[in-house]
Amino acid sequence: MHAILYYPLAALLLLTACTSGKMNHEPVAATNPPLPAFDLEGHRGARGLLPENTVPAMLKALELGVTTLEMDAHISQDGQVFLSHDPYMNREHELLPSGEEIPEADAKKYVHYQMPYSRIRTFDVGSKYFSKFPEQQLMKASKPLLSEVIDSAQAYIKAHGLPQVFYNIETKSKPSGDSKYHPAPEEFVDRLMTVVDEKNIRPYVIIQSFDPRTLQVLRRKHPDVKTSLLVENLKGLDHNLTQLGFTPNIYSPNYKLVTPALVEATHKLGIKLVPWTVNDLQAMQRLKQMGVDGIISDYPNLFQEL
């Protein structure tokens, strides 16, 4: 595959959103909108098609008609909120600023929380072939600021007359990573919500996490913000909700954990059930027939067939 420079498109979209030299931060909604009736979420944008958690991946997901952009948030050494799944540069699909491979001995050397964002941005996260996603289009790309992603997405929505989408933002944290890979939950939430409110997208934001602590901080400080509990354990709905301590808007398990009984139980509690990460059309159809409330997929192009 040939590398394609995607920056001109992103720059054009950012320019479209500018007014008198400033980004257009007008609120996208005056009320608290309901979640989509059936939520089509592009996982890390459109990871199966373009480099994950990048502006091009998010714009591709919008082009394909998603109702929610799903993404992962990390915090840099200088407190910037940016998109990344891993807490360090992943040598599987990311390159050094020089364009060279990250040596295996340095696989976990480049920790984001120990680098300023200005340095993080110099790594190339889109030009290396990723065998797990052979259809992924190669292009030079960087890990973007959350603010940049929002500006680009809102500009694209406006330019193409699309319905407003939701932003499902995962806080990538766990107790063992505090002060090593990320700040403590309180600071993580504060920095994330500062960006959300600067961009006036609070009504359309969902904060998700495997870490109940960040959701608990969010519930205490921002009870109006929608929450989603991510689950990959076998402990069951009752246990996981007890650990969380409140009823989230969304329960989001690994799709293999979904059963008709789980669908019924979540719906009885008024919770939407949105499983991850479903990359097979037949599995999507089966889950939809079972009654789930949405699908998170690396391949949002499959939603057109669903």
Side-chain angles (χ1 to χ4, degrees):
M1 284 183 268
H2 297 289
I4 299 175
L5 187 63
Y6 217 97
Y7 290 131
L9 175 58
L12 178 61
L13 290 168
L14 284 170
L15 181 62
T16 303
C18 292
T19 304
S20 302
K22 295 182 179 180
M23 298 306 299
N24 182 358
H25 294 161
E26 294 179 3
V28 294
T31 59
N32 194 15
L35 292 165
F38 191 83
D39 198 7
L40 303 174
E41 299 199 21
H43 187 234
R44 308 185 199 178
R47 179 168 64 153
L49 308 174
L50 289 168
E52 66 179 54
N53 282 315
T54 61
V55 169
M58 298 298 159
L59 300 186
K60 184 64 176 180
L62 291 175
E63 176 191 327
L64 293 170
V66 301
T67 52
T68 296
L69 294 172
E70 194 273 352
M71 60 195 70
D72 305 295
H74 267 284
I75 311 293
S76 65
Q77 185 183 55
D78 53 344
Q80 299 295 304
V81 185
F82 67 98
L83 265 54
S84 178
H85 177 269
D86 301 296
Y88 42 76
M89 293 295 169
N90 188 330
R91 67 182 303 272
E92 279 192 298
H93 54 90
E94 297 172 353
L95 298 170
L96 293 168
S98 63
E100 296 176 297
E101 300 265 343
I102 298 173
E104 189 171 358
D106 295 341
K108 296 184 180 181
K109 175 181 177 180
Y110 301 100
V111 175
H112 299 134
Y113 192 51
Q114 298 172 16
M115 293 192 289
Y117 177 70
S118 59
R119 187 182 181 203
I120 292 169
R121 194 174 182 89
T122 63
F123 287 75
D124 183 355
V125 301
S127 296
K128 182 177 179 179
Y129 176 72
F130 192 13
S131 59
K132 292 181 181 177
F133 296 96
E135 297 175 47
Q136 195 178 89
Q137 184 179 344
L138 300 182
M139 62 183 66
K140 190 174 178 61
S142 60
K143 294 179 186 283
L145 290 171
L146 174 60
S147 59
E148 178 186 356
V149 170
I150 295 167
D151 285 338
S152 298
Q154 291 302 122
Y156 189 96
I157 288 167
K158 183 176 181 180
H160 292 81
L162 300 178
Q164 180 59 50
V165 298
F166 283 80
Y167 294 86
N168 188 8
I169 307 168
E170 181 181 347
T171 57
K172 298 302 294 185
S173 66
K174 56 184 179 181
S176 62
D178 285 355
S179 301
K180 178 182 179 183
Y181 290 137
H182 51 76
E186 188 101 7
E187 181 184 346
F188 202 134
V189 170
D190 287 349
R191 291 191 180 280
L192 176 57
M193 288 306 300
T194 294
V195 177
V196 166
D197 286 338
E198 283 176 351
K199 298 301 176 182
N200 290 323
I201 61 163
R202 181 186 282 244
Y204 283 96
V205 162
I206 305 159
I207 305 299
Q208 63 175 354
S209 191
F210 288 101
D211 186 354
R213 302 176 306 156
T214 54
L215 299 183
Q216 289 160 355
V217 171
L218 195 80
R219 178 72 169 184
R220 174 169 53 83
K221 301 185 76 169
H222 308 281
D224 59 306
V225 175
K226 298 173 180 67
T227 54
S228 175
L229 179 63
L230 289 164
V231 175
E232 58 184 346
N233 62 57
L234 301 174
K235 297 177 181 179
L237 177 65
D238 290 343
H239 171 86
N240 290 323
L241 292 184
T242 298
Q243 292 296 109
L244 180 61
F246 67 92
T247 303
N249 300 90
I250 301 168
Y251 190 76
S252 191
N254 182 305
Y255 80 97
K256 295 178 181 178
L257 299 177
V258 176
T259 64
L262 180 60
V263 174
E264 182 180 2
T266 51
H267 288 174
K268 278 186 177 180
L269 294 172
I271 303 172
K272 286 187 174 287
L273 183 63
V274 181
W276 54 271
T277 301
V278 195
N279 291 336
D280 174 76
L281 182 59
Q282 290 184 335
M284 289 181 182
Q285 293 170 333
R286 184 171 64 252
L287 288 162
K288 190 173 183 182
Q289 291 171 356
M290 205 179 294
V292 301
D293 299 289
I295 295 288
I296 300 173
S297 179
D298 290 316
Y299 295 94
N301 53 310
L302 293 177
F303 293 153
Q304 298 170 353
E305 299 179 60
L306 181 64

